[in-house]
Amino acid sequence: MVGGITYTQLPPQIRKNNMAHLPDFISDLALILITAGVVTILFKWLKQPVVLGYIVAGFIVSAGFSVLVGHVEFLEPYINYIPAVSDMENVSTWAEIGVIFLLFALGLEFSFKKLMDVGGTASIATLINLGSMIVIGYIAGLLLGWSQMDSLFLGGMLSMSSTTIIIKAFNDMSLSKKKFAGIVFGMLIVEDLAAILMMVLLSTLAVSQHLEGKELLDSTLKLIFFMLIWFVVGIYMIPTILKKLKKYLNDETLLIVSVGLCLGMVLFASAVGFSAALGAFIMGSILAETIEAKHIEHLIEPLKNLFGAVFFVSVGMMINPDILVEYIIPIVILTVIVLVFRVIFATIGVLASGQGLKVAVQSGFSLAQIGEFSFIIASLGMSLGVISNFLYPIIVAVSVITTFTTPYCIRISEPVYRFLEKRIPAKWDKLLTGYASSNYKNINTQTTWNKLLKSILGVVAVYFCLSLAVLFVSQRFFMPFVLDKIPNVWGHIICAIITLILMAPFMRAIMMRKNKSKEFRELWDDNHFNKGALISLTVLRLALCMVLALMVLIPLFPEATVLMCVIALAVIIFIIFSQGFKRQSKKMEARFFENLNMKQSIEERKSPLDKQFADDLLSKNVHVEVYEIPQTSSIVGKTLQEMNFKQKTGVNIVRIVRGNIKNNIPTGSDCLYPFDKIVVVGSDDELQKFALIIEEKHKTAANAQEYEEDIQIEMSQYVVTVNSPLVGKSLRDTQIREKTECMVIGIDRDGHSIADFSADTVFEVDDVLWLAGEPDKLSEFDKNIE
């Protein structure tokens, strides 16, 4: 007590002086991590999500609420007799670092190529679910009497599922191999990307304080432009650099380089008006396409866990019991909205994407919660000062409740499906089976025009953005420098020439790429109408490049617009017929696609499963998995006939891969050995049964091995007496190892150790032998040696 005031009520400065000048952020961090460690161990014991443990730990060490002592305002902890953090600003800084590493790690797992592989199912389902929940959340906020901005942020928070909680629930319930689990994972990938876009748009709205279509469109186009530039330039440069420096990149160096790239992109994103989280996510997604992705992910994981823990603890610090009591009715209402409407709209979304009712219902019930991204969106609103203080703890409370209910929601999904199945009319049979027989579309069903337009639009969009990026960089940095040194007309000419040369490979690709493709030739040879349309398309691409050239020339020579148009046309003609720009364009494109596909190519070479084979199976709605035989498994050394997997589980083993040898369609006499990779084909239920058998066999063998490892090697002494059978015999002749299963590791003679004894060393009376072996073998040494 200090003058009637408790220690925790003292201002930070006084507490700092009483702690030998230890900086507040060190003491606060120690308090946070110790409390989080204790609470999360407790939650692990209770088999509850660790994230909830962090939130509870945050509430325990929270600085609390303001109280007035005399004329001074202090913070009173929510829980007395427990130390509390002294400086929330430091915690906020740590938490912001936590968000950066969480998003960076998320990007490493994300991969734009993975998003393309997800297909239409996840995209359609997520779009319906996400959009519906944003609207419902917004309407609910307005009906509760909250402000427009609170309601908008509420909609964003309610639209985000918890990747962490869902993955944990699936693993705990052994559902990761189910078909609906794959769809849910795909939806989470799309949600992550949508959340990044949402954060940018919400930031824009927070600054403008009103909804305006033009601003939202500008922000969206700006985001797409920068994401495309960052991704293309990043894939073009970073994998190549990492590949060239591979021999210098040990764990320490790779970690430093990765974190440096992450924070560098964070700085760049902030400089152009985007959030730090977006920069971290983009750099993570770029590095996800490199061959070092898994290695980087492994190195980053401790940092993500540490700073992520601080972030979730800071979330718990925002909980105010008084607010929870005051807003108990909105908490209950929002919890019901999440549990009911997320299930409904996620189910409708999966149905709309062509899946059957059972998969749709299971997916919908799996997504009935909100989680970490909701906290990040809430933190964004708080940092911008545009949402009310009560909204954060309300969202945390809803998240905690829905996290606890997630396993129960997943369990009741199948009974709900059976209930619905009995009541659906027979004429709605397509609702049960799904109208999409496959997630993979046959490319032959696309028309030639669709193929050509899709490829040309992709090429034009990418290279047009790259041309604009070169122009913007030139106008921002290069031109001012040159014009400062050479202010006359020659400076303007130099700026124009160099900028157009840098843009030329991209402009040529805009005009000429795909003009000699198979689809282009087919359409050209088909009829005269196609020729006119193709010529018009080519002219449009030429006009686009004319605009780019004029964007360079007119600002430099504003008084000669007509002349600049003529020069721009001449530049376009020169670029078209220049073989140098053509070679450069193809070289750059080849490097980009080599880097983009490098990781996938390496993985496919190492994979025991051919991609075409997997696609063919999936098109027939049959699933395929690859399992590795553990070295401790009890099935090692047994034949397929002995294991009889087909009769026990219904699966078919179609390939066994042992090193570089692939045994296709193995017979019953083929054996299984440690580290064999077996390719198994079957339905969801059959694969689940097979996985349980493999895991059980591995568990049994591992337990047996654990028991064996408890037997220790010990040391003992044996004195050679006059009557010993060892007297006068060499170590080789006595066959000690064979008879006793013990080993002589030392000999003492006349008080001295014989350091260089060999198999020919002859034992003498009073020699002291140092023996090594298992305890029971050592105790029986006398009997066995005789």
Side-chain angles (χ1 to χ4, degrees):
M1 299 287 288
V2 181
I5 302 174
T6 63
Y7 179 76
T8 55
Q9 291 175 321
L10 293 172
Q13 294 81 0
I14 297 177
R15 279 190 276 178
K16 183 176 177 180
N17 292 333
N18 280 273
M19 294 181 66
H21 302 289
L22 188 67
D24 284 340
F25 79 91
I26 294 179
S27 58
D28 286 344
L29 186 61
L31 178 62
I32 287 171
L33 295 181
I34 291 171
T35 308
V38 172
V39 175
T40 50
I41 289 173
L42 176 62
F43 271 64
K44 281 278 190 181
W45 178 64
L46 295 172
K47 297 182 178 179
Q48 297 300 323
V50 174
V51 173
L52 294 182
Y54 291 143
I55 293 173
V56 172
F59 176 73
I60 292 173
V61 301
S62 174
F65 54 91
S66 298
V67 295
L68 199 63
V69 180
H71 297 287
V72 184
E73 187 178 20
F74 298 113
L75 289 174
E76 178 68 26
Y78 296 126
I79 303 177
N80 291 320
Y81 312 110
I82 294 179
V85 296
S86 57
D87 192 341
M88 281 299 296
E89 289 187 8
N90 287 329
V91 176
S92 298
T93 302
W94 288 97
E96 189 169 351
I97 296 174
V99 172
I100 289 173
F101 281 110
L102 282 172
L103 269 295
F104 182 52
L106 185 65
L108 284 169
E109 299 170 2
F110 175 82
S111 168
F112 282 99
K113 291 196 71 177
K114 191 188 296 183
L115 175 63
M116 290 185 282
D117 291 339
V118 167
T121 298
S123 302
I124 294 170
T126 304
L127 189 62
I128 293 173
N129 184 36
L130 196 83
S132 301
M133 289 308 300
I134 291 174
V135 173
I136 289 174
Y138 180 72
I139 294 173
L142 294 179
L143 292 176
L144 289 169
W146 297 348
S147 69
Q148 192 179 52
M149 198 59 67
D150 283 341
S151 302
L152 193 60
F153 270 82
L154 175 65
M157 295 174 209
L158 296 185
S159 67
M160 291 289 107
S161 298
S162 173
T163 303
T164 305
I165 302 304
I166 292 174
I167 290 175
K168 183 185 185 304
F170 283 170
N171 289 338
D172 291 346
M173 301 170 74
S174 300
L175 297 173
S176 299
K177 303 293 184 183
K178 292 286 189 179
K179 181 179 180 181
F180 79 89
I183 292 174
V184 170
F185 289 146
M187 292 176 68
L188 292 173
I189 291 173
V190 180
E191 265 193 14
D192 293 338
L193 184 61
I196 296 296
L197 175 62
M198 189 186 304
M199 290 173 64
V200 175
L201 297 181
L202 288 175
S203 300
T204 304
L205 288 172
V207 173
S208 62
Q209 290 293 315
H210 64 278
L211 294 168
E212 187 173 319
K214 184 177 181 300
E215 289 186 3
L216 284 179
L217 180 61
D218 289 345
S219 297
T220 305
L221 292 176
K222 182 181 177 184
L223 173 65
I224 294 172
F225 172 77
F226 276 105
M227 286 183 69
L228 183 61
I229 293 299
W230 290 334
F231 180 70
V232 172
V233 175
I235 292 297
Y236 181 78
M237 296 179 60
I238 293 176
T240 301
I241 294 172
L242 292 180
K243 185 178 178 181
K244 290 184 180 296
L245 299 177
K246 185 175 177 62
K247 62 181 179 181
Y248 305 108
L249 295 175
N250 57 16
D251 286 359
E252 178 185 359
T253 311
L254 185 59
L255 174 63
I256 299 301
V257 169
S258 303
V259 175
L261 289 171
C262 170
L263 297 180
M265 183 60 83
V266 164
L267 288 174
F268 188 75
S270 300
V272 295
F274 294 116
S275 67
L278 175 64
F281 178 82
I282 291 294
M283 182 50 67
S285 65
I286 292 171
L287 292 175
E289 305 299 346
T290 68
I291 57 176
E292 300 289 344
K294 288 294 180 185
H295 194 184
I296 295 172
E297 192 176 337
H298 174 71
L299 294 174
I300 290 294
E301 188 172 6
L303 289 175
K304 179 197 75 172
N305 292 338
L306 173 63
F307 291 109
V310 177
F311 168 71
F312 289 117
V313 169
S314 72
V315 170
M317 291 181 184
M318 302 299 294
I319 298 176
N320 187 331
D322 294 334
I323 290 180
L324 296 183
V325 173
E326 181 182 353
Y327 289 91
I328 187 64
I329 293 177
I331 290 173
V332 173
I333 292 173
L334 294 179
T335 300
V336 172
I337 287 175
V338 170
L339 293 177
V340 174
F341 288 100
R342 281 197 66 86
V343 171
I344 291 173
F345 287 110
T347 302
I348 292 173
V350 177
L351 281 174
S353 67
Q355 299 299 320
L357 182 63
K358 183 177 181 179
V359 171
V361 170
Q362 290 174 319
S363 302
F365 275 93
S366 301
L367 294 164
Q369 78 291 118
I370 59 174
E372 53 273 12
F373 246 123
S374 302
F375 303 151
I376 294 173
I377 292 173
S379 298
L380 174 67
M382 293 289 288
S383 64
L384 295 172
V386 295
I387 64 173
S388 305
N389 292 333
F390 63 79
L391 191 54
Y392 203 122
I394 287 176
I395 284 299
V396 173
V398 174
S399 175
V400 169
I401 296 171
T402 55
T403 296
F404 279 117
T405 59
T406 294
Y408 304 103
C409 287
I410 296 174
R411 286 192 185 99
I412 66 171
S413 62
E414 201 154 340
V416 170
Y417 162 71
R418 289 197 294 269
F419 174 82
L420 295 174
E421 182 185 26
K422 294 175 183 177
R423 287 158 178 79
I424 291 178
K427 61 181 180 180
W428 290 5
D429 60 322
K430 283 290 183 182
L431 193 64
L432 295 176
T433 59
Y435 64 80
S437 60
S438 170
N439 290 336
Y440 294 83
K441 296 179 181 178
N442 187 343
I443 195 169
N444 294 328
T445 62
Q446 300 178 0
T447 66
T448 307
W449 266 112
N450 285 341
K451 293 180 188 178
L452 182 63
L453 289 176
K454 184 178 178 181
S455 60
I456 287 179
L457 286 175
V459 167
V460 170
V462 170
Y463 285 109
F464 184 76
C465 287
L466 288 172
S467 301
L468 286 180
V470 172
L471 176 59
F472 292 160
V473 171
S474 178
Q475 290 176 340
R476 183 84 178 266
F477 302 104
F478 174 69
M479 290 183 183
F481 174 79
V482 172
L483 295 178
D484 181 60
K485 302 295 182 182
I486 311 173
N488 55 32
V489 68
W490 288 107
H492 290 251
I493 293 173
I494 292 172
C495 290
I497 292 174
I498 293 179
T499 303
L500 287 172
I501 288 174
L502 293 175
M503 293 170 61
F506 307 130
M507 293 168 66
R508 192 186 191 287
I510 292 173
M511 294 182 287
M512 305 302 294
R513 289 287 287 125
K514 302 297 180 181
N515 280 358
K516 294 183 179 180
S517 65
K518 176 184 175 183
E519 294 82 8
F520 192 98
R521 292 196 302 271
E522 285 180 4
L523 291 169
W524 183 268
D525 296 335
D526 189 20
N527 58 56
H528 293 292
F529 173 78
N530 284 341
K531 290 181 180 178
L534 291 171
I535 291 172
S536 300
L537 185 61
T538 304
V539 171
L540 184 61
R541 294 161 70 183
L542 293 173
L544 198 59
C545 289
M546 277 283 293
V547 171
L548 287 171
L550 291 173
M551 289 174 68
V552 176
L553 296 171
I554 290 179
L556 291 170
F557 305 96
E559 299 175 356
T561 303
V562 176
L563 178 60
M564 291 305 106
C565 290
V566 175
I567 293 175
L569 182 59
V571 168
I572 296 302
I573 295 172
F574 175 73
I575 291 174
I576 290 174
F577 290 100
S578 172
Q579 294 300 311
F581 293 135
K582 177 182 178 180
R583 287 192 297 271
Q584 186 65 23
S585 175
K586 286 188 174 181
K587 184 178 177 182
M588 294 169 68
E589 191 169 317
R591 176 188 284 189
F592 173 81
F593 282 108
E594 179 186 358
N595 289 344
L596 183 64
N597 297 320
M598 185 189 305
K599 177 184 172 185
Q600 182 179 349
S601 300
I602 293 174
E603 289 177 349
E604 286 180 357
R605 285 200 299 270
K606 293 181 178 179
S607 174
L609 188 62
D610 293 331
K611 189 175 187 302
Q612 185 60 48
F613 176 68
D615 289 351
D616 290 343
L617 288 173
L618 283 167
S619 67
K620 297 175 176 60
N621 207 23
V622 178
H623 303 285
V624 61
E625 291 291 342
V626 180
Y627 296 90
E628 184 174 293
I629 305 298
Q631 58 184 353
T632 58
S633 176
S634 61
I635 68 175
V636 168
K638 295 185 178 180
T639 64
L640 296 182
Q641 185 175 2
E642 289 179 282
M643 296 309 302
N644 199 9
F645 290 122
K646 176 65 177 175
Q647 186 173 349
K648 292 178 181 178
T649 66
V651 303
N652 290 294
I653 296 179
V654 296
R655 174 179 286 179
I656 299 176
V657 180
R658 186 172 301 139
N660 294 324
I661 301 172
K662 295 180 180 180
N663 180 5
N664 293 326
I665 318 301
T667 64
S669 60
D670 288 311
C671 291
L672 297 174
Y673 293 103
F675 306 114
D676 278 358
K677 289 185 174 66
I678 53 176
V679 181
V680 182
V681 176
S683 65
D684 282 333
D685 293 335
E686 290 169 347
L687 290 172
Q688 193 71 26
K689 291 177 185 177
F690 180 80
L692 290 174
I693 288 179
I694 292 291
E695 290 168 6
E696 186 62 32
K697 297 285 186 185
H698 177 40
K699 184 179 179 182
T700 303
N703 289 339
Q705 183 188 37
E706 183 179 347
Y707 172 76
E708 291 174 1
E709 288 175 351
D710 289 337
I711 301 174
Q712 302 294 324
I713 297 296
E714 295 183 358
M715 291 180 58
S716 183
Q717 291 179 323
Y718 173 81
V719 180
V720 180
T721 62
V722 175
N723 299 323
S724 172
L726 302 180
V727 175
K729 294 183 179 180
S730 68
L731 179 59
R732 179 184 292 108
D733 294 336
T734 57
Q735 295 183 319
I736 288 177
R737 185 179 305 195
E738 291 78 5
K739 292 180 179 179
T740 68
E741 296 184 40
C742 296
M743 178 184 291
V744 177
I745 59 173
I747 303 174
D748 289 349
R749 181 174 294 169
D750 299 329
H752 299 285
S753 296
I754 301 177
D756 56 348
F757 72 91
S758 65
D760 296 322
T761 301
V762 177
F763 295 119
E764 299 178 3
V765 177
D766 296 329
D767 279 354
V768 180
L769 308 185
W770 288 91
L771 305 173
E774 296 176 7
D776 58 333
K777 303 299 181 184
L778 291 172
S779 63
E780 297 178 353
F781 182 82
D782 285 335
K783 181 175 68 175
N784 292 334
I785 197 64
E786 293 175 359

